[in-house]
Amino acid sequence: MTQTYASSSTGRGIDTAEVTALAEETLDWRFKALPPASWGLTVREYLATGPTLADLGTPLLTLDAGALDHNLTTMAAWCADAGVGLAPHGKTTMAPALWQAQLDAGSHGITLANLPQLRVARAFGVDRIQLANTLLDPAGLGWLAAELDTDPGFAFTAWVDCTDSVRLMDRALRAAGAARPVEVLVELGGPAGRTGARTEAEAVEIAEAVRAAPTLRLAGVCGYEGALAHDAGPSGLAAVRGYLRRLAALHRALAGRYEVARPVVTAGGSAYFDIVVEELKPLDEAEVIIRAGAYLAHDDGFYRGISPLARGAGTPLRSALHGWARVVSRPEPELALLDAGKRDLPYDEGMPEPQSVRTANGPRSLAGAPAAVARLNDQHAFLTGAGDLAPVGAVVRLGLSHPCTAFDKWSLIPVLDDVDRPDPRIVGLVRTYF
């Protein structure tokens, strides 16, 4: 893939040669976003032909170059002004070229969620990774030990949330003959949340177990506040703030026990990073890192409503993510069936949002029309309320909710220069690895 929307490419923290080599991948039937006219060409060669949106079929997922650039620079500036590090969650996109753009913009490193994702990142030379999870797979820990021992420049941290995890990690790393200790962060959770020790006392006990394990090194504390709330109402924000204060208290309780020069305190998905900064930034002796991942693509749904930058904390983000689907049937006057469904578009945080329609007469906005996607089947969307604006053959542009379950459905995603142009040009192809 060639990330032609990016303003620079310094290669900080990633192997730029591996990313650049994606432009030489040959296109073929594997990539459902592209037409047969692209088959046999490399990514670079296809982009050189000057393709446009009209050359692509449906169903389709695209990214908007201007929105990506805006979101990239907006978030980088926000974190710099706040004085915190950003290790964006790479599992959102699993796109090395987008990781490179984030690292070039100043990101501290890349966060990942599991072993397969970690292996992708290492294949592309990412040299600073936080695994926001506990790694217990013995074979995986053996592989990790080899990565750390053979690459002194590889900085890695993992999470732990119980003494059993500490014991199992230590056993597997000893068996692998690990020479370099694995840095770990003790995870604090909350009632009915996800992983994480439920009390500060448990977390302190885990920290002591880490200190006693020769293959591990206590490097900080961590958590995920997004598991405790799902809106920006007063009760949700209060729950998030209360949890973060507990995380700060745990960090203070572990003062003097850390085994690194500057411990890490990390929290912050894409929904509440403003509160994370308010509560954790005063911990001046710590390196505060947020892990927002959805900000780069943003959306027209969940994050549009809950992002701190939509709640007055800074310049709002823009949705870079759009679906495209063709009307293939009008079996009833107020029902249109589109050729995109659950296999193509995210739906776990809300149905796609009809935004405009393209016909032979050009694009037309659906603003003000009662158009809505009522439900999705595997390969169809049920569009209601569009009336005569959506005849058979028309292509509907859809705003999407939740980028984390959009990218995984597409192995190659076209990047458009401007989604609002009459015939947007394709200026990049983003390769994903799920």
Side-chain angles (χ1 to χ4, degrees):
M1 174 273 150
T2 300
Q3 64 175 65
T4 54
Y5 56 85
S7 58
S8 66
S9 180
T10 64
R12 178 185 178 275
I14 195 168
D15 187 337
T16 57
E18 289 291 339
V19 178
T20 301
L22 293 174
E24 306 309 321
E25 184 169 14
T26 299
L27 303 173
D28 56 28
W29 51 267
R30 292 171 298 156
F31 306 114
K32 67 180 182 178
L34 299 182
S38 70
W39 296 357
L41 302 177
T42 66
V43 168
R44 189 185 306 280
E45 290 168 340
Y46 178 62
L47 293 177
T49 68
T52 68
L53 176 65
D55 296 318
L56 304 178
T58 54
L60 179 65
L61 182 83
T62 64
L63 292 165
D64 180 80
L68 286 173
D69 275 341
H70 169 81
N71 297 344
L72 185 72
T73 57
T74 295
M75 191 65 177
W78 192 94
C79 290
D81 289 345
V84 297
L86 172 63
H89 213 320
K91 59 100 175 171
T92 298
T93 66
M94 287 305 296
L98 296 181
W99 296 347
Q100 179 180 323
Q102 291 170 308
L103 291 166
D104 285 352
S107 290
H108 169 89
I110 297 295
T111 299
L112 296 165
N114 60 30
L115 180 62
Q117 295 171 10
L118 176 58
R119 287 175 171 153
V120 172
R122 289 301 290 161
F124 283 88
V126 179
D127 63 11
R128 183 176 286 171
I129 296 172
Q130 179 181 164
L131 185 68
N133 211 336
T134 301
L135 179 57
L136 296 181
D137 175 70
L141 284 164
W143 171 84
L144 174 65
E147 290 287 301
L148 289 167
D149 291 347
T150 58
D151 183 358
F154 177 30
F156 175 81
T157 57
W159 294 13
V160 291
D161 74 347
C162 68
T163 55
D164 284 344
S165 294
V166 172
R167 176 177 53 80
L168 292 170
M169 289 182 72
D170 181 53
R171 177 192 297 171
L173 290 167
R174 285 174 186 253
R180 185 175 160 196
V182 174
E183 294 188 356
V184 296
L185 311 177
V186 175
E187 182 187 3
L188 182 68
R194 204 165 61 186
T195 52
R198 291 316 197 233
T199 69
E200 288 88 335
E202 290 178 75
V204 170
E205 182 182 356
I206 296 162
E208 289 300 331
V210 171
R211 285 166 51 84
T215 62
L216 303 178
R217 180 176 293 159
L218 182 62
V221 296
C222 58
Y224 177 52
E225 75 293 338
L228 304 177
H230 203 68
D231 59 56
S235 61
L237 296 181
V240 167
R241 193 176 298 278
Y243 165 75
L244 293 168
R245 289 177 178 174
R246 291 178 56 223
L247 187 62
L250 173 61
H251 166 70
R252 295 188 182 98
L254 294 178
R257 308 188 206 196
Y258 293 119
E259 299 173 287
V260 295
R262 192 177 184 204
V264 167
V265 178
T266 177
S270 295
Y272 306 109
F273 54 79
D274 55 335
I275 304 177
V276 170
V277 169
E278 290 172 11
E279 296 297 333
L280 300 184
K281 186 59 180 72
L283 303 173
D284 291 330
E285 72 281 10
E287 184 172 20
V288 177
I289 298 173
I290 63 174
R291 306 184 308 276
Y295 76 90
L296 185 59
H298 197 48
D299 70 7
D300 282 310
F302 178 71
Y303 288 109
R304 177 177 61 188
I306 202 171
S307 166
L309 303 185
R311 295 188 276 107
T315 302
L317 302 172
R318 292 162 47 191
S319 177
L321 199 62
H322 298 93
W324 305 84
R326 196 176 307 271
V327 180
V328 294
S329 177
R330 290 295 307 267
E332 300 171 15
E334 288 302 318
L335 176 63
L337 275 298
L338 312 181
D339 64 352
K342 294 178 180 179
R343 303 296 180 97
D344 313 297
L345 306 174
Y347 58 93
D348 57 312
E349 292 288 357
M351 288 292 106
E353 174 185 278
Q355 296 179 335
S356 64
V357 174
R358 288 175 177 262
T359 66
N361 297 322
R364 183 171 178 179
S365 174
L366 287 173
V373 172
R375 69 182 191 274
L376 296 178
N377 286 167
D378 281 0
Q379 310 289 180
H380 291 94
F382 290 69
L383 175 66
T384 62
D388 295 337
L389 294 174
V392 169
V395 175
V396 180
R397 183 179 110 186
L398 300 162
L400 304 176
S401 181
H402 202 200
C404 294
T405 51
F407 281 81
D408 64 315
K409 297 172 174 58
W410 297 84
S411 56
L412 200 64
I413 304 174
V415 181
L416 306 179
D417 63 342
D418 183 349
V419 73
D420 291 318
R421 286 184 52 181
D423 194 15
R425 292 185 302 112
I426 303 170
V427 295
L429 296 171
V430 169
R431 184 71 157 94
T432 67
Y433 292 89
F434 284 92

